């Protein structure tokens, strides 16, 4: 019997639902053998019309809490950008102390988000020991956030014209103790993530995004910085207490000396940013001015001001995944917002996915896709459709995960 | 790359666009203790000069960052604002630039930017499906967020008769707006 060589392109839809997904997305992969030749992204499975609610149902203060629920992880970033936008539109200037508290809580979120990502990334390549380790050390910052904000997640710290909770003198020792803990283990984390042979094998030269592509596709956040785009709102545009600090965008050449734009570089950027966040929090605690935390504590009065206000504003914040931008327009006499537009970082970073995945292997999809830290990090099920016979075979998320683990094992041998 | 002040940027727009330049606004706010300035520029141009204005922005910085297109239904017309940021990568020098275009309701068309900025695709697709603005020359005109079964000719962000009023689910005991 002779074996005939047949070349066919298969289409594999990956997603949209998976227990680990925060935001379902479907990827249609066209594959030739193991190689990915084309990728199409289908989004919108969880479009909840949040902007519409802010324009038709909620008043601006209710919309802060709606903004907080845009994303489960960026529960500081969205209200941060939103209150900035409303403040610019209504001409409210928050007290200086509030700017510092906003920055402290936002940087805490960055530490927890990056550690969460580090664990997920390790899990994607079948390195579950590191997954447990990363999530174990993440608990410290979650506890600290609960201590400062009263909640591990959806912290409701933000208010138009300031923040809702102060950081008191008595809280400082415990905050500093947690930061010292992270400083003491930072070198250990660095060794685990950057010097491990398995991680290096699976992440170096995988999912490359070149600087020019990143610039053209508007890639932002750690994904863009790993490709050498030194763009960071905290560094670029003065807002909140970041304007007082001397922040420099982290690119992978601080460790390796070069910029490749692969998954390994994205690990470097996020890891060094954890250290940067710790330094920012410490600096803020030292330099925090005293004074009020709210310009207008009476909600009814604030609402009255907002209903009368006319104007438009843009609020921006560097979320853990990249730049969040909110545009708000207020019309006098209207209780709701007249226009509200949200741009989350994954919105633009997803456009880089075809470039990142093309030419790669199916087994690299979980880690390469997770490397942009989308609000989607795993893959649920993959239906393989044979175009000639129209036959379908289903590859579950578990099987796809096993494929990835298999590759790690093979590389180790 | 030379970094211009907001006033110089607006003068540059006036020179490049001539009569097609309609209006501009500068918003500045001092921030935090050191009083560094958060700056936003709004530039209002005629639709005919829209592409020219974007090309002018590309002269200010080779790859300007187009964050998002926001759209507002103003009754007789639809207003699009292209939110750019320029001078990123320089400490505290970045400026938000909103490029404003007004489209009459009977002629909702705007040329695509995907040939200049490939990353504009998602936001153009979203503007097309949500506001019913036709993006002329868009390489991929499929819907982005709305499902395939969503009725044609209904645009969720509109406030006129093409809005989503008829398909809203009103909970028992609530009045239809």
């Amino acid at each position: 019997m002779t074996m005939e060589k047949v070349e066919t392109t298969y289409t594999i839809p990956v997603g949209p639902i998976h227990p680990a997904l925060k935001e379902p997305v479907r990827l249609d992969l066209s594959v030739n053998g193991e190689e990915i030749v084309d990728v199409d992204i289908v989004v919108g499975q969880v479009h909840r019309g949040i902007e519409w609610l802010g324009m038709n149902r909620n008043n601006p203060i209710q919309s802060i809490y709606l903004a907080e629920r845009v994303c489960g992880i960026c529960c500081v970033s969205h209200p941060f950008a939103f209150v900035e936008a409303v403040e610019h539109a209504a001409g409210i200037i928050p007290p200086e102390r509030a700017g510092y508290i906003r920055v402290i809580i936002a940087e805490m979120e960055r530490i927890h988000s990056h550690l969460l990502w580090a664990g997920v990334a390790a899990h994607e390549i079948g390195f579950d020991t590191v997954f447990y380790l990363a999530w174990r050390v993440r608990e410290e910052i979650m506890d600290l956030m609960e201590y400062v904000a009263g909640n591990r997640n959806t912290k409701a710290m933000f208010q138009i014209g300031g923040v809702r909770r102060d950081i008191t003198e008595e809280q400082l020792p415990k905050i500093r103790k947690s930061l010292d803990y992270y400083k003491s283990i930072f070198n250990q984390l660095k060794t685990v993530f950057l010097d491990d042979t398995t991680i290096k094998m699976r992440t170096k030269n995988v999912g490359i995004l070149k600087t020019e592509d990143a610039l053209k596709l508007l890639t932002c956040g750690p994904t863009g910085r790993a490709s050498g785009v030194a763009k960071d709102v905290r560094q670029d545009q003065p807002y909140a207490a970041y304007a007082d600090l001397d922040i420099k965008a982290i690119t992978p050449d601080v460790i390796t000396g070069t910029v490749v734009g692969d998954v390994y570089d994205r690990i470097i950027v996020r890891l060094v940013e954890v250290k940067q966040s710790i330094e920012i929090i410490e600096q803020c605690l030292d330099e925090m001015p005293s004074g009020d935390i709210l310009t207008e504590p009476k909600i009814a009065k604030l609402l009255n001001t907002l209903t009368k206000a006319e104007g438009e504003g843009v609020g921006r914040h560097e979320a853990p995944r990249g730049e969040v931008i909110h545009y708000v327009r207020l019309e006098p006499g209207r209780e709701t917002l007249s226009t509200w537009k949200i741009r989350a970082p994954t919105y633009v970073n997803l456009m880089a996915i075809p470039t990142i995945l093309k030419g790669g292997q199916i087994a690299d999809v979980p880690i390469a896709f997770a490397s942009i830290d989308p609000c989607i990090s795993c893959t649920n099920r993959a239906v393989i459709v044979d175009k000639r016979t129209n036959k379908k075979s289903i590859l579950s998320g578990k099987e796809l995960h096993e494929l990835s683990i298999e590759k790690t094992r093979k590389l180790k041998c | 790359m030379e970094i211009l002040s907001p006033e110089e940027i607006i003068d540059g727009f006036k020179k490049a666009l001539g009569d097609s330049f309609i209006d501009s606004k500068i918003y500045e706010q001092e921030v935090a203790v050191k009083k560094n300035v958060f700056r936003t520029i709004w530039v209002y141009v005629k639709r005919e000069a829209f592409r020219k204005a974007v090309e002018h922005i590309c002269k200010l910085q080779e790859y300007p960052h187009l964050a998002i297109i926001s759209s507002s239904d103003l009754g007789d017309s639809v207003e699009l604002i292209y939110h750019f940021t320029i001078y990123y990568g320089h400490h505290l020098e970045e400026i938000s630039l909103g490029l404003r275009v007004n489209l009459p309701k009977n002629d909702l068309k705007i040329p695509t930017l995907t040939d200049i900025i490939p990353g504009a695709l998602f936001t153009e697709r979203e503007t097309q499906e949500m506001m019913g603005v036709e993006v002329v020359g868009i390489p991929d005109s499929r819907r982005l967020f709305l499902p395939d079964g969503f009725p044609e000719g209904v645009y969720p962000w509109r406030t006129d008769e093409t809005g989503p009023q008829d398909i809203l689910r009103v909970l028992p005991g609530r009045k239809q707006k």
Side-chain angles (χ1 to χ4, degrees):
Chain A
M1 208 176 109
T2 53
M3 291 285 279
E4 231 182 292
K5 201 187 166 198
V6 188
E7 266 200 29
T8 342
T9 311
Y10 292 94
T11 309
I12 311 180
V14 178
I17 305 296
H18 188 277
L21 300 187
K22 284 147 243 142
E23 200 182 14
V25 160
R26 197 180 90 219
L27 296 176
D28 285 346
L29 309 173
S30 298
V31 295
N32 196 341
E34 278 287 309
E35 197 195 327
I36 297 161
V37 287
D38 201 11
V39 183
D40 185 30
I41 305 165
V42 183
V43 290
Q45 289 88 347
V46 279
H47 197 273
R48 290 155 290 169
I50 284 184
E51 291 150 336
W52 191 90
L53 291 177
M55 289 189 268
N56 292 281
R57 192 189 72 181
N58 287 6
N59 67 42
I61 293 176
Q62 290 169 329
S63 290
I64 304 172
Y65 307 104
L66 198 57
E68 193 155 0
R69 281 149 182 84
V70 168
C71 172
I73 303 278
C74 300
C75 61
V76 165
S77 311
H78 284 285
F80 198 150
F82 176 72
V83 296
E84 288 255 328
V86 176
E87 282 160 9
H88 290 157
I92 299 168
I93 298 171
E96 288 149 7
R97 187 176 174 85
Y100 276 77
I101 296 172
R102 283 178 183 183
V103 166
I104 290 170
I105 199 80
E107 290 307 312
M108 284 180 184
E109 181 183 79
R110 193 179 317 278
I111 296 173
H112 110 74
S113 176
H114 282 352
L115 288 173
L116 178 129
W117 174 82
V120 169
H123 173 70
E124 297 295 358
I125 57 171
F127 205 160
D128 279 350
T129 324
V130 175
F131 160 65
Y132 291 124
L133 173 83
W135 282 36
R136 164 68 194 84
V137 298
R138 175 173 167 263
E139 279 307 300
E140 181 75 25
I141 195 77
M142 298 307 284
D143 288 346
L144 184 64
M145 280 193 292
E146 187 180 4
Y147 179 66
V148 173
N151 219 352
R152 281 161 65 95
N153 218 331
T154 41
K155 295 172 267 292
M157 279 290 272
F158 287 78
Q159 178 59 284
I160 293 159
V163 288
R164 294 179 61 238
R165 270 170 181 255
D166 201 357
I167 293 179
T168 57
E169 202 65 42
E170 301 84 73
Q171 286 177 321
L172 296 185
K174 194 167 173 189
I175 299 174
R176 285 187 205 278
K177 204 176 140 208
S178 291
L179 297 177
D180 286 340
Y181 165 73
Y182 279 111
K183 278 197 277 184
S184 71
I185 60 155
F186 183 74
N187 280 334
Q188 254 172 299
L189 279 178
K190 202 171 146 192
T191 316
V192 169
F193 280 100
L194 299 184
D195 298 341
D196 186 88
T197 330
T198 316
I199 291 183
K200 272 189 186 170
M201 280 190 302
R202 283 305 305 275
T203 58
K204 278 206 165 177
N205 296 314
V206 171
I208 294 179
L209 181 68
K210 295 201 179 76
T211 313
E212 211 196 329
D213 289 333
L215 283 166
K216 280 186 182 161
L217 295 169
L218 311 173
T219 313
C220 63
T223 316
R225 291 194 280 279
S227 298
V229 183
K231 181 179 181 339
D232 189 327
V233 190
R234 298 174 295 163
Q235 164 198 274
D236 299 337
Q237 193 155 30
Y239 72 103
Y242 292 118
D244 292 348
L245 312 170
D246 196 14
I247 293 168
K248 207 172 171 313
I250 306 251
T251 44
D253 46 330
V254 293
I255 301 258
T256 55
T258 52
V259 174
V260 186
D262 55 4
V263 178
Y264 188 71
D265 278 359
R266 285 169 213 141
I267 300 181
I268 294 176
V269 171
R270 294 208 172 86
L271 199 68
V272 180
E273 279 186 10
V274 170
K275 196 178 176 195
Q276 189 188 30
S277 293
I278 297 167
E279 285 161 6
I280 291 173
I281 298 175
E282 283 189 326
Q283 207 181 336
C284 283
L285 291 177
D286 291 339
E287 295 171 9
M288 194 154 61
S290 55
D292 289 338
I293 55 164
L294 266 178
T295 39
E296 180 51 72
K298 287 188 184 122
I299 303 251
K301 223 170 165 186
L302 179 63
L303 261 181
N304 195 11
T305 319
L306 291 173
T307 312
K308 282 182 195 151
E310 180 176 16
E312 54 189 344
V314 168
R316 309 172 62 206
H317 171 60
E318 185 74 21
R321 283 159 191 75
E323 179 192 347
V324 166
I325 177 162
H326 282 231
Y327 167 76
V328 160
R329 180 201 290 246
L330 298 172
E331 252 173 45
R334 185 168 165 160
E335 277 178 37
T336 61
L337 302 169
S338 146
T339 306
W340 184 18
K341 187 78 202 92
I342 307 173
R343 205 287 312 266
T346 308
Y347 190 99
V348 280
N349 285 350
L350 270 182
M351 277 184 284
I353 282 293
T355 318
I356 287 173
L357 294 183
K358 256 181 222 172
Q361 292 186 339
I362 301 176
D364 286 330
V365 169
I367 181 64
F369 190 46
S371 73
I372 70 158
D373 196 1
C375 284
I376 4 147
S377 39
C378 298
T379 38
N380 157 40
R381 64 202 149 88
V383 186
I384 301 184
V385 185
D386 189 328
K387 273 193 178 157
R388 285 172 309 153
T389 58
N390 227 0
K391 236 163 99 184
K392 284 186 181 181
S393 55
I394 291 183
L395 201 66
S396 70
K398 204 178 158 201
E399 282 167 317
L400 198 60
H401 187 210
E402 295 240 295
L403 254 180
S404 182
I405 295 176
E406 186 98 332
K407 185 169 176 184
T408 305
R409 272 202 204 110
K410 273 190 198 152
L411 284 169
K412 268 186 183 166
C413 299
Chain B
M1 190 179 71
E2 196 194 348
I3 291 181
L4 305 172
S5 71
E7 289 80 12
E8 287 169 327
I9 292 173
I10 286 173
D11 283 343
F13 270 108
K14 279 182 187 160
K15 234 177 253 169
L17 303 177
D19 288 346
S20 304
F21 177 92
I22 300 175
D23 198 8
S24 67
K25 203 167 69 185
I26 301 173
Y27 173 83
E28 289 185 336
Q29 193 203 311
E30 288 179 343
V31 188
V33 181
K34 286 187 187 164
K35 304 293 173 210
N36 288 302
V37 185
F38 178 98
R39 289 170 299 182
T40 311
I41 306 176
W42 306 95
V43 178
Y44 186 10
V45 300
K46 283 186 187 161
R47 172 168 49 176
E48 300 78 58
F50 167 68
R51 291 266 307 189
K52 216 171 162 189
V54 176
E55 279 157 19
H56 182 75
I57 296 171
C58 292
K59 278 180 204 150
L60 298 172
Q61 185 163 23
E62 197 187 352
Y63 295 104
H65 184 82
L66 171 62
I68 194 78
I69 306 170
S70 71
S71 42
S72 316
D73 188 343
L74 302 182
D76 301 333
S77 59
V78 167
E79 186 186 79
L80 300 183
I81 304 178
Y82 286 66
H83 297 274
F84 287 94
T85 59
I86 48 170
Y87 301 147
Y88 58 81
H90 303 270
H91 190 232
L92 303 184
E93 297 281 4
E94 195 175 34
I95 296 175
S96 303
L97 200 163
L99 184 64
R100 192 191 300 268
V101 198
N102 205 303
L103 311 175
K105 276 260 173 84
N106 54 18
D107 185 24
L108 289 173
K109 279 182 185 158
I110 191 89
T112 178
L113 288 184
T114 42
D115 51 332
I116 311 174
I117 305 164
L121 184 63
F122 269 21
T123 179
E124 285 187 352
R125 279 171 70 183
E126 194 188 12
T127 309
Q128 204 164 244
E129 64 177 3
M130 295 290 187
M131 209 33 146
V133 174
E134 189 191 332
V135 181
V136 181
I138 190 169
D140 178 0
S141 62
R142 288 176 303 164
R143 280 174 172 169
L144 182 67
F145 290 120
L146 295 181
D148 293 335
F150 197 81
E152 296 280 336
V154 176
Y155 306 109
W157 291 347
R158 291 271 196 95
T159 51
D160 56 14
E161 67 286 349
T162 56
Q165 292 83 356
D166 295 343
I167 53 171
L168 290 181
R169 193 171 53 121
V170 182
L171 294 173
R174 292 241 176 161
K175 270 186 240 153
Q176 178 105 34
K177 266 194 183 175

